[in-house]
Amino acid sequence: MRRLRKHFSRKYLREEVLPTPFCPGCFNGVVMNVMFKAFEELGVERLKGYVFVSGIGCSSWIPSPHIKADTIHTLHGRAVAVATGVKLAKPNLNVIVIGGDGDLAAIGFNHLVHAARRNMDLLVILVNNLVYGMTRGQASPTTPEGMRTVTTPYGAYEPVMDVAELIARTNANYVARWCVANFNQLKNSIKEALSKHSKGFRFIEVIAPCITYVVRYEGKTPGQKIKELMKVCRPNTETPYGRIGILKAEDKPGYLDRYFEYVKRATEGDKGE
Amino acid sequence: MSACSVEVDRNLCKGCGICVSVCPKNALELSPNIGPSGYRYPVLKGECIGCKTCTLYCPDFAITVVCDEGGGQG
C-alpha cells in the first residue's frame, strides 16, 4: 500500500506528538488549520523567526507541544507578559500569543489590557471557548447570559465581558472577532495581522465553543454546531457572542517604535550635554 | 468529474463527524467499521468535487483530498 497523502497542516507540526490531546471535534484543531493556512498563503514554509507563547488552558496546548517553532508554555495568565519580554529582548522576532478566555480574559486580563494600552507589538489570538474547559466547564467571564454550564445549571446570570470591544477601546491597532466557522475571514484577519498591520497590538478573538462542556450540553454534535455557527456568525452582525467582524484597524506606531525613538532621544541628549 | 477521492489517516481520526457535516455535496459518511484508535472514520459515499472543505475543518489533520490532475494535496 502506498503512503497516505499528508494534511497541509502537518508540515508545521511536530508529528511525533500527534494525535492531539484535544477532545474529538475540538475547534482548537480548526483554529490551528486556519493559522497554518494563513502561513501557507503568506508563503511561510518554515516557522523560523516566529515565537509562540501560551499560558495554561486547553487552547494553550495549541502551540506548546505541537507547532514546529519556538514555543514557550508559561504561567497561568502571564503569556502576554512573557511575550512582551520576548519582543523587547529580540525585536526582530514575530511573537504570537495564543490563549483561552480563562487565561487571557480572566486571570491575565490586566496584562492583556496593559499590553494593548502600550500598543505592544504582539499578535494575540484569544480562543474563546465560552467556559473554563480544562477544569470541567465552569462559567467564565465570557459565558453568554443564559447559557447552561456545570456551575450555572439554570443559565448563566452574570453579565458577560466583551473582550474584543474592551480591547478595541484601548490603544490597540487591530481588533477582530470571528467564529471558528468564518474560516476565510479569520484566515484573512490573521494574514492582515501578520503582513499589512504588522505593527502594534493585534487582537483576534475566535469564538470556538467547547465541544464537551458547551456543545454536548446543548445536545448537539460538533458537526451540527459548526453548521449552526456558519448560519449565526454573519460578518458585521450582532450575535449572542457579540459583534462579529473587524472592529478596529489602524496603523499607529507600535511600542517598539516609540521605545527606540525614546532611546535615541536620550542617547543624543547625553552627547549634547 | 469524480476524479477526486479522500484519504483518511485512521491513526489520527477521532470520528467527530465535522467533515461529514461540512461537505457541501454530503458525499461523506462515517464508516460502520472502527479504526485502530477506536473511532469510526469517514468514507466516501457520493461524488467528491475536490473543494477540500473537509480538509480545512478537520481538527485532527487526518483527512486529505486527492485529485487525479495535478495539485492533489491540500
Side-chain angles (χ1 to χ4, degrees), chain B residues 15-31:
Chain B
C16 62
I18 286 182
C19 50
V20 175
S21 97
V22 297
C23 180
K25 288 296 218 185
N26 289 320
L28 290 165
E29 64 178 350
L30 287 182
S31 151

Side-chain angles (χ1 to χ4, degrees), chain A residues 4 41 45 62 74 94 100 105 124 145 150-151 169 171 178 182 188 209-210 240 248 270:
Chain A
L4 286 169
E41 292 189 5
E45 281 300 310
I62 290 177
T74 65
N94 275 315
V124 178
E145 267 187 272
V150 287
T151 48
R169 293 285 175 200
N171 201 26
W178 299 106
N182 304 105
N188 291 338
C210 179
K248 191 179 185 186
D270 276 346

Side-chain angles (χ1 to χ4, degrees), chain A residues 123-128 162-168 172-179 182 185-193 197 201-207 236 241-250:
Chain A
L123 167 60
V124 178
I125 299 175
L126 166 68
V127 184
N128 185 354
D162 194 330
V163 189
E165 292 280 2
L166 272 164
I167 299 298
N173 259 1
Y174 186 89
V175 180
R177 169 165 40 211
W178 299 106
C179 290
N182 304 105
Q185 292 95 329
L186 178 57
K187 181 193 75 193
N188 291 338
S189 264
I190 294 177
K191 272 166 74 179
E192 272 187 20
H197 299 278
F201 193 80
R202 291 93 70 195
F203 181 81
I204 298 171
E205 181 180 348
V206 188
I207 306 286
N236 302 317
Y241 318 110
R243 194 153 62 87
I244 300 291
I246 296 171
L247 306 181
K248 191 179 185 186
E250 289 176 4

Side-chain angles (χ1 to χ4, degrees), chain A residues 116-165:
Chain A
R117 171 182 67 81
R118 292 183 183 123
N119 210 4
M120 196 66 222
D121 299 58
L122 303 172
L123 167 60
V124 178
I125 299 175
L126 166 68
V127 184
N128 185 354
N129 65 355
L130 309 174
V131 289
Y132 292 131
M134 189 169 259
T135 55
R136 306 198 79 180
Q138 292 86 356
S140 80
T142 53
T143 305
E145 267 187 272
M147 200 180 82
R148 198 179 142 220
T149 67
V150 287
T151 48
T152 55
Y154 302 101
Y157 53 90
E158 291 177 14
V160 66
M161 183 165 89
D162 194 330
V163 189
E165 292 280 2

Side-chain angles (χ1 to χ4, degrees), chain A:
Chain A
M1 192 185 150
R2 71 193 173 83
R3 286 186 61 189
L4 286 169
R5 301 287 185 106
K6 279 191 178 174
H7 192 272
F8 74 91
S9 292
R10 285 176 63 177
K11 62 175 177 259
Y12 299 109
L13 290 167
R14 296 184 185 142
E15 296 200 42
E16 62 272 20
V17 297
L18 293 177
T20 56
F22 305 131
C23 307
C26 182
F27 293 141
N28 283 348
V30 186
V31 176
M32 287 164 95
N33 277 342
V34 179
M35 208 164 57
F36 296 145
K37 201 73 189 170
F39 281 129
E40 197 180 50
E41 292 189 5
L42 284 171
V44 181
E45 281 300 310
R46 291 181 63 229
L47 294 168
K48 204 167 162 39
Y50 287 86
V51 179
F52 292 84
V53 186
S54 68
I56 300 298
C58 285
S59 42
S60 301
W61 278 76
I62 290 177
S64 179
H66 298 111
I67 299 183
K68 210 188 271 176
D70 292 336
T71 58
I72 316 177
H73 207 145
T74 65
L75 297 176
H76 193 12
R78 314 298 172 226
V80 176
V82 172
T84 302
V86 172
K87 186 71 188 178
L88 283 172
K90 297 270 183 193
N92 54 342
L93 295 176
N94 275 315
V95 187
I96 301 176
V97 179
I98 301 175
D101 53 331
D103 192 48
L104 292 177
I107 184 170
F109 188 64
N110 60 338
H111 299 295
L112 185 73
V113 162
H114 284 287
R117 171 182 67 81
R118 292 183 183 123
N119 210 4
M120 196 66 222
D121 299 58
L122 303 172
L123 167 60
V124 178
I125 299 175
L126 166 68
V127 184
N128 185 354
N129 65 355
L130 309 174
V131 289
Y132 292 131
M134 189 169 259
T135 55
R136 306 198 79 180
Q138 292 86 356
S140 80
T142 53
T143 305
E145 267 187 272
M147 200 180 82
R148 198 179 142 220
T149 67
V150 287
T151 48
T152 55
Y154 302 101
Y157 53 90
E158 291 177 14
V160 66
M161 183 165 89
D162 194 330
V163 189
E165 292 280 2
L166 272 164
I167 299 298
R169 293 285 175 200
T170 64
N171 201 26
N173 259 1
Y174 186 89
V175 180
R177 169 165 40 211
W178 299 106
C179 290
V180 75
N182 304 105
F183 193 96
N184 284 317
Q185 292 95 329
L186 178 57
K187 181 193 75 193
N188 291 338
S189 264
I190 294 177
K191 272 166 74 179
E192 272 187 20
L194 287 171
S195 55
K196 200 170 135 204
H197 299 278
S198 59
K199 299 250 172 180
F201 193 80
R202 291 93 70 195
F203 181 81
I204 298 171
E205 181 180 348
V206 188
I207 306 286
C210 179
I211 282 304
T212 304
Y213 296 109
V214 176
V215 178
R216 193 187 51 152
Y217 272 30
E218 292 172 355
K220 290 176 188 142
T221 64
Q224 286 168 344
K225 188 68 186 179
I226 206 155
K227 294 282 266 192
E228 186 200 306
L229 286 176
M230 279 175 184
K231 288 196 189 83
V232 169
C233 297
R234 298 275 174 211
N236 302 317
T237 52
E238 287 293 334
T239 65
Y241 318 110
R243 194 153 62 87
I244 300 291
I246 296 171
L247 306 181
K248 191 179 185 186
E250 289 176 4
D251 277 316
K252 290 188 296 250
Y255 182 82
L256 284 176
D257 288 351
R258 297 161 75 114
Y259 177 72
F260 287 122
E261 195 196 310
Y262 191 78
V263 169
K264 201 175 147 208
R265 238 172 67 205
T267 47
E268 278 172 3
D270 276 346
K271 276 174 198 163
E273 281 170 18

